[in-house]
Amino acid sequence: MLEYIGRIDHQVKIRGFRIELGEIEVAVSQYPAVRENVVIVREDTAGDKQLVAYVVARASEQLSIAELKTFLQQQLPTYMLPTHIVVLDSLPLTSNGKINRHALPVPGSVESQEQEAYVAPRTPIEQLIADIWCKVLHRPRVSLYDNFFEIGGHSLLATQLVARLRTALKIEITLNVLFDRPVIARLAQYVEGALREVHGTVLQPLVPVPAEEKTQLSFAQQRLWFLQQLEPESTAYTIPQVLRLHGTVDVRALEQSLREIVRRHEVLRTIFADQAGQPLPIVQDVAAFQVQHVDLTSDEARLLQHLQAEIQKPFDLEHELLFRSQIIRCGAQDYVLFVNVHHLAWDGWSTTVFLGELNTLYRAFHQDQASPLAELPVQYADFAVWQRNWLQGEVLDRQLAYWQQQLGSAATLELPTDFSRPAIQSYRGPASASSFRPSCKRNWNFSASAKA
């Protein structure tokens, strides 16, 4: 029996092109600031093979990724250009001194030179396009002036991107539009012009507004507030987070970090007064936020019971902040950080933002440094005002008419369960866990990406 393990000459095939990785390595080595390099093919996302060059700079040289990319564009055909260039202090080696290709890091976190030129989106259209780029390219963020085809994009991903843009914006966008405008700033200008032709208007930029004008909720918040009024004791729309912390914990720095996050994000310290049946958001001073300290050192068995009881506590939207937190001591080097937030102020993406800010702030405060985070340019309440100003009159009527037509014939989903649907939702139900082979997950991801 013969087992095929690959080509020893490192010839690969990507999107129909046969590529000798050695030829790319030779071209990279001709750049004066490069001391050594290796080029590999990565497939971190199923079905998406990408060329990645790992380079080590000469000790006396300053290596610029942007300039190296420009140099390679003059040396290699487009299909041989590396999608990512990663600068390392040294290449990882095996025990016998050869390059350990399996130990090379995933591109992204080490591409610091590219991220130094980051320019954030300025308008809602630019933000929407950037969000779609991030999903298609599997990147945490993209800059306003990043070139789609220089940061991982290719013809197959371009097709996905155009399809997603069409779905999100409800306008016609062709591949040629993307090829002619491969940066977000230029593509956004085209989109805004197309929207103006279709709708006779274009989205205004999202800007901060005076505090006295922040008197309305966003449409999503209005819906959640209404549901809470129907069932004030419900916890269906609370989002609990439990983090187990092992090792030495700087409780002072942790509490200071939580307080700073609440200060930064006004929505976390907002209450909603009931004025004649309508909610009025009122931002509280950060002093209204308190971190609770719970000691379960001698009663570890009570931890789960304690957390379950806290999770079941409903929020009083009119008198209570939407963000609760507890630091629970379970031992000398064993803590639990418990956070519970109402969906009015938090969604799935908020968790990623919260954990990132918490990590950054804790590191700084633990070393008695000031917060390294820049002040937020806008708050969620600014978005609520922007959304209400946009979705009104003819624009709102057109949106409502569209969805009423789309959903007018939709029937209530009747699942073939062994019990009838109750008149009032109880939220009671068991959880069932199943395990699947990793290959199944990869196939599902690839299939879903192909249809997106």
Side-chain angles (χ1 to χ4, degrees):
M1 181 180 71
L2 295 177
E3 183 179 359
Y4 177 73
I5 59 175
R7 301 175 61 105
I8 61 174
D9 58 353
H10 301 303
Q11 185 184 86
V12 298
K13 188 174 182 179
I14 299 180
R15 295 185 289 280
F17 294 100
R18 293 196 179 276
I19 300 172
E20 288 283 356
L21 298 181
E23 292 184 25
I24 304 176
E25 292 173 351
V26 169
V28 174
S29 66
Q30 292 174 352
Y31 188 68
V34 173
R35 190 183 78 203
E36 55 181 337
N37 78 94
V38 63
V39 178
I40 67 170
V41 174
R42 298 194 69 101
E43 192 174 357
D44 298 309
T45 302
D48 184 20
K49 294 182 178 179
Q50 296 186 339
L51 291 168
V52 182
Y54 295 88
V55 301
V56 177
R58 297 184 184 277
S60 58
E61 298 282 350
Q62 181 67 33
L63 196 154
S64 166
I65 292 179
E67 292 178 5
L68 176 54
K69 283 186 174 182
T70 301
F71 172 81
L72 293 177
Q73 288 171 356
Q74 300 169 355
Q75 307 295 320
L76 298 169
T78 302
Y79 66 86
M80 292 180 68
L81 293 173
T83 301
H84 301 281
I85 297 177
V86 181
V87 179
L88 301 176
D89 294 331
S90 61
L91 296 177
L93 303 177
T94 62
S95 56
N96 58 6
K98 295 183 178 180
I99 295 176
N100 186 355
R101 287 172 166 78
H102 298 291
L104 293 167
V106 176
S109 60
V110 289
E111 294 180 88
S112 58
Q113 292 189 41
E114 289 186 329
Q115 296 189 14
E116 287 177 2
Y118 173 75
V119 178
R122 302 161 299 187
T123 69
I125 291 296
E126 290 176 350
Q127 184 63 62
L128 185 148
I129 295 174
D131 290 343
I132 295 176
W133 280 35
C134 288
K135 293 176 183 177
V136 171
L137 296 172
H138 302 283
R139 295 173 70 96
R141 70 178 186 178
V142 290
S143 177
L144 192 62
Y145 298 103
D146 278 341
N147 187 305
F148 179 78
F149 299 101
E150 293 179 1
I151 60 172
H154 49 72
S155 57
L156 296 179
L157 289 180
T159 302
Q160 286 188 35
L161 176 65
V162 167
R164 287 175 181 252
L165 288 171
R166 286 173 182 160
T167 301
L169 296 165
K170 303 294 187 299
I171 60 174
E172 180 59 27
I173 297 179
T174 65
L175 281 172
N176 286 338
V177 170
L178 178 60
F179 283 115
D180 292 341
R181 304 166 180 81
V183 300
I184 292 175
R186 292 186 58 204
L187 184 57
Q189 291 176 351
Y190 171 87
V191 168
E192 289 174 354
L195 286 172
R196 192 178 294 110
E197 290 181 8
V198 174
H199 302 298
T201 185
V202 70
L203 298 181
Q204 296 301 312
L206 175 58
V207 296
V209 299
E212 60 271 15
E213 296 182 19
K214 300 178 182 181
T215 59
Q216 291 182 303
L217 279 61
S218 69
F219 285 102
Q221 285 183 316
Q222 183 89 24
R223 175 176 59 87
L224 290 166
W225 179 86
F226 174 76
L227 292 172
Q228 194 71 30
Q229 306 313 301
L230 289 179
E231 300 181 81
E233 298 301 314
S234 173
T235 58
Y237 293 101
T238 60
I239 305 175
Q241 310 279 331
V242 180
L243 302 176
R244 195 83 190 229
L245 310 176
H246 296 289
T248 303
V249 175
D250 186 341
V251 175
R252 176 197 59 82
L254 181 57
E255 179 172 347
Q256 187 180 358
S257 302
L258 293 168
R259 191 175 300 279
E260 173 63 10
I261 289 173
V262 172
R263 185 200 67 79
R264 286 169 51 78
H265 299 273
E266 292 180 355
V267 70
L268 298 180
R269 48 188 173 91
T270 298
I271 62 173
F272 298 88
D274 188 336
Q275 288 201 345
Q278 293 299 319
L280 175 66
I282 303 175
V283 179
Q284 304 294 291
D285 188 88
V286 70
F289 170 71
Q290 298 294 326
V291 178
Q292 293 184 327
H293 294 265
V294 180
D295 191 346
L296 296 179
T297 304
S298 59
D299 199 356
E300 168 73 12
R302 280 191 55 222
L303 177 61
L304 181 58
Q305 180 182 356
H306 173 79
L307 292 174
Q308 289 175 334
E310 290 297 320
I311 290 172
Q312 293 305 314
K313 290 182 179 179
F315 279 87
D316 180 352
L317 304 183
E318 190 168 5
H319 302 100
E320 183 183 1
L321 302 189
L322 304 184
F323 183 89
R324 301 173 183 156
S325 67
Q326 292 184 354
I327 299 176
I328 305 171
R329 176 184 169 95
C330 300
Q333 293 191 323
D334 186 11
Y335 286 81
V336 168
L337 173 61
F338 171 70
V339 170
N340 201 10
V341 198
H342 196 281
H343 197 12
L344 266 166
W346 195 282
D347 59 14
W349 182 249
S350 303
T351 300
T352 303
V353 175
F354 168 73
L355 293 176
E357 291 195 357
L358 182 66
N359 180 59
T360 300
L361 291 169
Y362 179 84
R363 290 176 181 272
F365 294 155
H366 177 63
Q367 300 173 5
D368 292 324
Q369 298 175 353
S371 167
L373 300 177
E375 289 297 318
L376 299 174
V378 293
Q379 296 287 336
Y380 187 84
D382 298 315
F383 164 78
V385 173
W386 171 87
Q387 186 188 58
R388 292 286 181 168
N389 289 337
W390 170 49
L391 286 175
Q392 60 178 321
E394 183 183 349
V395 175
L396 180 58
D397 292 341
R398 190 186 309 116
Q399 295 280 341
L400 286 174
Y402 172 83
W403 286 110
Q404 286 169 349
Q405 180 181 0
Q406 295 295 316
L407 302 175
S409 59
T412 302
L413 178 62
E414 295 292 346
L415 297 175
T417 58
D418 55 358
F419 56 89
S420 59
R421 183 191 298 267
I424 300 177
Q425 191 173 6
S426 67
Y427 303 103
R428 293 193 302 270
S432 177
S434 300
S435 298
F436 298 93
R437 296 189 306 275
S439 59
C440 291
K441 180 177 182 296
R442 288 194 297 269
N443 291 337
W444 290 334
N445 287 342
F446 178 70
S447 177
S449 299
K451 295 179 181 179

